[in-house]
């Protein structure tokens, strides 16, 4: 009896997505009250969205998880009470509002620490990974300005690390920007050679936001420990996605971000090792909150959200990672089955599966993106500059300029469905084929002409 | 504290059914699909549990997650955008460049 009910239940739940979708859309249409909010996205009539000269039939499917991730409903559920009745300042020592707020902040701190195998006393909340990177790079070097004058980092770091290093150069420090191999990984021998006795900091990001490459953190940590330099890693894209252990990886400083792990925007954390003690100069002065490392009222709802996101990530890491790997394979195989001239930027083995950066030969990047308006993806250059300059990360990999221009970054996440992957494949293939059909360069290649040997006539 | 008794098979199935009902109420396409899929995978993953206290703990966890799902489905519906996801639009018309 129960077995029949179980199988009926599972069969109904596992009916093809289309059938289920029809039912669920009808149910939602019947139940959802009309939205009272003013529309911020241009005209929205009859379900069409019109913005910046493009009309699409619905909200695009979201495949840009490296830019940001949607807030998990479980995280929102944890945050809401702190916007409603428990709105106290965690630094108010004299009443219940302050005590309950502080208690929530400390619980969140413990959750973040648990995810990286650290002690809660080593976690400090900031406004995001950018701030944590700034504190790590500038704060550490300025504290040790008497004896440590050199920083080693890579050419593929996030802009905030590179910019902080440039700032330090203006203050008189020396910085070595290590090149990376064509697969995006840092060469450990070059790194060992670059570290000097007066090197204070080695900064190598754990997972690259543009190409998804995972650096050999344990080896780098070991090298830094041997040579007496502090190892800082920007783990914004890595937290909750690959296992991080600050002991095994010899990490001295680490930047973490809330909105990359299905948490709220505007919050991040900084890990600062206590044994052996890493000393840094605070960059935000004020009332001495967060043990003087970062002054300013700790934003309880955001911090609670980050803590909840870390707790969920700890439980879901295996499940999500298996699913996302399968989806990445599906995406790559689906595109490769229909298109040639597809290049994966960055190492395929040392990669976080949720980040797939592809270049399509003989296709112009901006026109490809213009045709993919029903898929929310990012191109190589968009993150870092307003100009049309190809991404510095791809340039560091040695990717040709024309291939760098056509790079698309697909970001797969916890909430991505197979149907979305299939639709993304269909739309990408259709657009690339359309553009290649129009491309005279592609015609020449098909005829066997080597593009690089062409002498272009001057008019 | 008394050890919780393990729930019966009917109670577990009823909890799963409630989960799937709650999942259907989400107005957001991605959350809706995730909630249903995660519930089924979660229950399937716990099917092999034999220790009664572990089963009871998983059931209690499921009950509290169900409450979260119900609350959030209401929140998401209150703020649902007018436009649905392209995945829910049955026949997407070809794009126009105006």
């Amino acid at each position: 009896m129960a077995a029949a009910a179980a199988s009926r239940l599972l069969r109904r739940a596992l009916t093809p997505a289309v059938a289920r979708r029809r039912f669920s859309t009808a149910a939602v249409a019947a139940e959802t009250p009309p939205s009272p909010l003013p529309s911020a996205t241009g005209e929205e009539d009859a379900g069409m969205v019109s913005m910046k000269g493009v009309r699409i039939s619905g909200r695009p499917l979201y495949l840009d998880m490296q830019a940001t991730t949607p807030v998990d409903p479980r995280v929102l559920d944890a945050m809401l009470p702190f916007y409603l009745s428990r709105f106290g300042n965690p630094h108010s020592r004299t009443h219940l509002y302050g005590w309950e707020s502080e208690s929530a902040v400390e619980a969140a701190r413990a959750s973040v620490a648990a995810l990286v195998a650290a002690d809660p006393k080593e976690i400090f909340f900031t406004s995001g990974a950018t701030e944590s990177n700034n504190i790590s790079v500038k704060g550490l070097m300025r504290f040790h300005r008497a004896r440590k004058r050199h920083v080693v980092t890579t050419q593929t770091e996030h802009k905030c690390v590179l910019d902080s290093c440039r700032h330090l150069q203006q203050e008189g420090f020396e910085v070595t920007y290590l090149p990376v191999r064509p697969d995006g990984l840092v060469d450990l021998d070059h790194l060992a050679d670059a570290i000097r006795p007066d090197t204070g900091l080695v900064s190598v990001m754990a997972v690259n936001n543009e190409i998804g490459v995972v650096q050999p953190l344990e080896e780098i940590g070991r090298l830094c420990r041997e040579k007496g330099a502090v190892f800082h890693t920007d783990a914004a894209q890595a937290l909750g996605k690959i296992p991080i252990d600050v002991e095994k990886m010899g990490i001295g400083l680490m930047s973490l971000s809330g909105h990359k792990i299905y948490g709220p925007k505007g919050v991040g954390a900084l890990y600062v090792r206590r044994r052996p003690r890493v000393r840094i100069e605070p960059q935000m002065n004020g009332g001495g909150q967060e043990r003087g490392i970062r002054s300013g009222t700790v934003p309880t709802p955001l911090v609670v959200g980050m803590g909840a996101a870390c707790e969920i990530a700890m439980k879901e890491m295996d499940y999500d990672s298996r699913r996302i790997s399968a989806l990445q394979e599906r995406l790559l195989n689906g595109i490769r089955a229909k298109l040639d001239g597809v290049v994966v930027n960055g190492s395929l083995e040392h990669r976080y599966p949720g980040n797939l950066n592809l270049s399509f030969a003989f296709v112009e990047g901006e026109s490809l993106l213009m045709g993919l308006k029903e898929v929310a993806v990012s191109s190589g250059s968009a993150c870092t500059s307003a100009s049309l300059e190809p991404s510095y990360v791809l340039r560091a990999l040695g990717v040709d300029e024309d291939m760098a221009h056509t790079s698309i970054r697909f970001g797969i996440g916890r909430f991505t469905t197979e149907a979305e992957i299939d639709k993304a494949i269909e739309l990408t293939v259709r657009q690339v084929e359309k553009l290649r059909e129009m491309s005279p360069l592609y015609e020449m290649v098909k005829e066997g002409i080597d593009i690089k040997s062409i002498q272009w006539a001057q008019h | 504290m008394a050890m919780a008794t393990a729930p019966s098979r009917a109670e577990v199935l009823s909890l799963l059914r409630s989960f799937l009902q709650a999942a259907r109420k989400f107005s957001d396409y991605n959350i809706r699909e995730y909630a249903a899929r995660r519930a089924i995978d979660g229950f399937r993953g716990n099917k092999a549990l034999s220790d009664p206290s572990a089963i009871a703990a998983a059931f209690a966890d499921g009950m509290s997650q169900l409450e979260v799902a119900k609350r959030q489905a209401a929140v998401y519906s209150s703020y649902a955008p007018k436009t649905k996801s392209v995945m829910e639009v049955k026949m997407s018309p070809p794009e126009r460049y105006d």
Side-chain angles (χ1 to χ4, degrees), chain B:
Chain B
M1 188 169 99
M3 188 165 76
T5 48
S8 69
R9 193 189 178 84
E11 284 178 310
V12 170
L13 285 176
S14 164
L15 182 64
L16 176 57
R17 194 173 9 241
S18 306
F19 247 111
L20 296 176
Q21 278 172 357
R24 277 199 289 269
K25 293 203 165 74
F26 273 101
S27 51
D28 180 287
Y29 163 79
N30 291 93
I31 308 287
R32 186 168 65 235
E33 297 281 314
Y34 175 79
R37 177 179 59 238
R38 187 68 186 90
I40 292 175
D41 287 346
F43 276 75
R44 187 184 288 145
N46 283 337
K47 212 161 72 156
L49 284 180
S50 52
D51 172 30
S53 60
I55 300 179
F59 188 77
D61 183 52
M63 295 274 285
S64 65
Q65 298 266 19
L66 176 63
E67 292 308 304
V68 174
K70 284 191 198 158
R71 279 198 295 267
Q72 290 309 308
V75 171
Y76 275 72
S77 299
S78 307
Y79 291 92
K82 261 190 250 179
T83 334
K84 301 238 164 278
S85 161
V86 290
M87 301 303 296
E88 298 177 275
V89 175
K90 275 220 280 218
M91 269 193 337
S92 322
E95 297 156 1
R96 292 166 45 185
Y97 299 91
D98 286 13

Side-chain angles (χ1 to χ4, degrees), chain A residues 66-79:
Chain A
Q66 281 71 41
T68 190
T69 54
V71 173
D72 192 302
R74 295 164 283 193
V75 167
L76 186 64
D77 196 70
M79 288 169 66

Side-chain angles (χ1 to χ4, degrees), chain A residues 84-363:
Chain A
L84 303 174
S85 51
R86 301 194 214 158
F87 53 81
N89 182 323
H91 314 293
S92 301
R93 294 176 173 281
T94 57
H95 48 69
L96 174 72
Y97 293 93
W99 305 330
E100 67 187 357
S101 191
E102 188 197 18
S103 159
V105 166
E106 294 311 311
R109 200 188 303 275
S111 300
V112 176
L115 189 53
V116 298
D119 186 287
K121 294 204 190 98
E122 297 173 310
I123 301 287
F124 302 88
F125 288 111
T126 62
S127 66
T130 295
E131 186 186 341
S132 302
N133 280 333
N134 268 265
I135 300 176
S136 302
V137 174
K138 295 191 286 196
L140 181 96
M141 292 310 292
R142 284 173 182 164
F143 188 90
H144 293 285
R145 61 164 69 84
R147 291 186 312 124
K148 301 285 186 182
R149 304 297 303 172
H150 181 231
V151 176
V152 176
T153 185
T154 71
Q155 290 175 1
T156 51
E157 290 303 300
H158 198 267
K159 253 306 183 345
C160 51
V161 171
L162 295 178
D163 212 58
S164 302
C165 289
R166 196 180 10 246
H167 208 82
L168 285 180
Q169 279 180 290
Q170 285 171 0
E171 288 180 17
F173 292 88
E174 284 172 57
V175 181
T176 301
Y177 300 93
L178 283 178
V180 293
R181 300 204 301 244
D183 63 357
L185 293 170
V186 72
D187 187 316
L188 292 166
D189 297 321
H190 289 174
L191 176 61
D193 290 338
I195 302 179
R196 312 187 320 213
D198 70 338
T199 300
L201 185 73
V202 172
S203 178
V204 181
M205 73 196 315
V207 174
N208 187 285
N209 56 311
E210 280 203 44
I211 50 182
V213 161
V214 182
Q215 299 289 354
L217 298 174
E218 284 190 34
E219 284 86 343
I220 300 175
R222 201 180 315 128
L223 215 64
C224 292
R225 214 180 346 224
E226 283 167 21
K227 303 221 163 202
V230 174
F231 177 29
H232 164 252
T233 182
D234 177 358
Q237 298 285 347
L239 182 68
K241 305 197 168 124
I242 59 167
I244 298 179
D245 186 322
V246 293
E247 285 311 318
K248 280 199 215 135
M249 296 169 172
I251 297 173
L253 287 164
M254 180 164 60
S255 308
L256 307 170
S257 171
H259 72 109
K260 306 283 165 53
I261 48 162
Y262 314 95
K265 293 176 196 37
V267 67
L270 174 65
Y271 161 79
V272 185
R273 174 176 283 277
R274 293 184 94 218
R275 286 198 196 101
R277 202 180 205 90
V278 171
R279 312 286 309 266
I280 53 178
E281 209 184 74
Q283 303 298 298
M284 286 280 287
N285 306 111
Q289 287 87 1
E290 295 292 278
R291 298 168 184 265
I293 297 285
R294 201 271 184 186
S295 293
T297 301
V298 173
T300 309
L302 298 178
V303 159
V304 163
M306 183 164 183
C310 288
E311 259 185 70
I312 294 170
M314 187 125 102
K315 292 191 207 140
E316 303 282 327
M317 208 186 312
D318 283 336
Y319 176 85
D320 282 345
S321 137
R322 259 179 286 132
R323 234 188 125 251
I324 291 173
S325 299
L327 288 176
Q328 186 203 232
E329 237 188 271
R330 192 187 180 101
L331 178 62
L332 187 56
N333 294 343
I335 290 183
R336 280 210 161 133
K338 307 248 180 73
L339 293 176
D340 58 347
V342 175
V343 175
V344 178
N345 294 313
S347 159
L348 206 45
E349 314 98 68
H350 301 279
R351 157 183 298 273
Y352 166 60
N355 182 328
L356 190 62
N357 191 310
L358 301 177
S359 282
F360 300 92
F362 317 113
V363 165

Side-chain angles (χ1 to χ4, degrees), chain A residues 155 180-183 392-401 403-404:
Chain A
Q155 290 175 1
V180 293
R181 300 204 301 244
D183 63 357
Y392 65 90
V393 172
L394 293 179
R395 203 152 10 110
L397 292 185
V399 175
D400 277 338
E401 260 200 38
M403 289 298 266

